[in-house]
Amino acid sequence: MIKNKLKTTWDAGQATINGWLSINSPFVAEIMAAQGYDSVTIDMQHGAVSYEGALGMLQAMRASGVVPMARVPWLDPGAIMKALDAGAYGIICPMVNTRADAERLVSYMRYPPLGTRSFGPTRANFSAGEGYADEANGEMLAFAMIETAEAMANLDEIVRTPGLDGVYIGPADLTLGLSDGALPPGFDRKEPEMIAAIHRIRDAAKAAGIRAALHCGTPDYAATAMNWGFDMVTLSNDVRLLAAEASRTVKQARAMADDQASEPEELEQAGY
């Protein structure tokens, strides 16, 4: 079976950068997977992505060698198992609020005797190579999203769930939950209370011997998070990257056109 390169990178003491896909397009997935990310995650919760779309996106990413992952819509065994069967090497699960939730997540991702995952890796049998049945339990990554006040209250119990590989911070929902809606949702938090919460989650994960991941919006914040000791940072997503670059080039073209239009007047005033 093809090994999970995220694990070997982390074991070597290096942080990884994760890409994020919200557009239901194999071509977009193929493009993003070729840009140097260590892993790329398909967002099946908030992204405009169907299961059939995710399957094609996983197929499109295979040639790049990037580690394919998925954020599932919810803590649902069917969604988790189907994403794994389609070839995902890791699952990011939203709204894990208790240790019991985390235990269910782990169970859905492991074949017996370590869990209750049903056997039927229709595509994974091909995409992951020989030996999937024997080796999958040790290669799949289970990430529980910490994004509510309830999860923060139960944090120390969640991170010590046997078989859980890491926790993933969703800053937008975490901010809404901890501030009771007083602060707007978004990435790259700078409020002292939110930075303290982010550091607390990281410290709890490290103390439990599991990985800590943070969703970021900019390269600057992602670099800061890696220096804080996060094992994985997600750097924006396909929608934001496309919108930002399109906006930048349109504004640049208009500004350059205005500059060029003013040149004849300047030359005339100078006597040319």
Side-chain angles (χ1 to χ4, degrees):
M1 179 182 173
I2 298 170
K3 299 302 181 183
N4 193 324
K5 291 187 292 186
L6 293 182
K7 290 193 168 191
T8 57
T9 302
W10 293 332
D11 289 343
Q14 300 173 18
T16 60
I17 298 178
N18 178 56
W20 199 261
L21 297 171
S22 296
I23 300 173
N24 194 358
S25 168
F27 188 32
V28 171
E30 186 177 34
I31 293 169
M32 288 283 284
Q35 302 312 311
Y37 296 101
D38 299 288
S39 58
V40 175
T41 298
I42 300 172
D43 186 3
M44 302 176 72
Q45 183 190 20
H46 292 303
V49 181
S50 65
Y51 176 76
E52 290 77 10
L55 179 62
M57 293 161 74
L58 288 165
Q59 291 173 314
M61 289 193 285
R62 185 184 183 192
S64 69
V66 71
V67 178
M69 299 177 63
R71 176 166 72 171
V72 293
W74 211 250
L75 180 56
D76 172 72
I80 291 169
M81 294 181 197
K82 282 179 73 67
L84 294 174
D85 291 343
Y89 261 61
I91 297 294
I92 298 172
C93 185
M95 298 293 179
V96 174
N97 293 319
T98 65
R99 174 157 175 161
D101 288 345
E103 289 172 345
R104 288 167 57 203
L105 168 61
V106 171
S107 177
Y108 300 155
M109 294 192 60
R110 315 290 186 212
Y111 292 125
L114 300 181
T116 60
R117 181 182 172 188
S118 175
F119 189 77
T122 303
R123 176 175 178 265
N125 258 337
F126 298 94
S127 62
E130 296 182 1
Y132 189 86
D134 294 329
E135 301 176 40
N137 278 352
E139 300 300 329
M140 301 298 106
L141 292 168
F143 273 90
M145 291 196 75
I146 304 298
E147 48 187 349
T148 67
E150 183 181 6
M152 286 295 288
N154 295 317
L155 179 62
D156 291 333
E157 293 181 0
I158 291 172
V159 297
R160 287 178 170 78
T161 302
L164 187 67
D165 295 290
V167 289
Y168 188 102
I169 300 175
D173 275 314
L174 184 65
T175 300
L176 285 174
L178 294 184
S179 72
D180 199 24
L183 293 173
F187 305 140
D188 299 1
R189 309 310 305 193
K190 294 180 172 59
E191 303 88 355
E193 63 270 35
M194 292 311 304
I195 292 176
I198 289 169
H199 286 187
R200 183 187 166 207
I201 295 169
R202 176 207 58 198
D203 292 345
K206 297 291 186 180
I210 65 173
R211 306 298 175 179
L214 177 64
H215 203 112
C216 304
T218 62
D220 180 66
Y221 204 92
T224 297
M226 287 189 280
N227 286 320
W228 281 342
F230 278 89
D231 301 286
M232 181 171 77
V233 293
T234 293
L235 185 52
S236 193
N237 63 36
D238 52 356
V239 173
R240 288 173 178 265
L241 291 170
L242 176 60
E245 183 61 12
S247 176
R248 184 191 70 80
T249 54
V250 169
K251 291 176 181 177
Q252 183 179 17
R254 293 190 191 282
M256 292 178 71
D258 291 341
D259 290 342
Q260 293 175 13
S262 66
E263 288 177 3
E265 296 180 9
E266 294 173 357
L267 291 173
E268 184 177 347
Q269 291 173 2
Y272 290 97

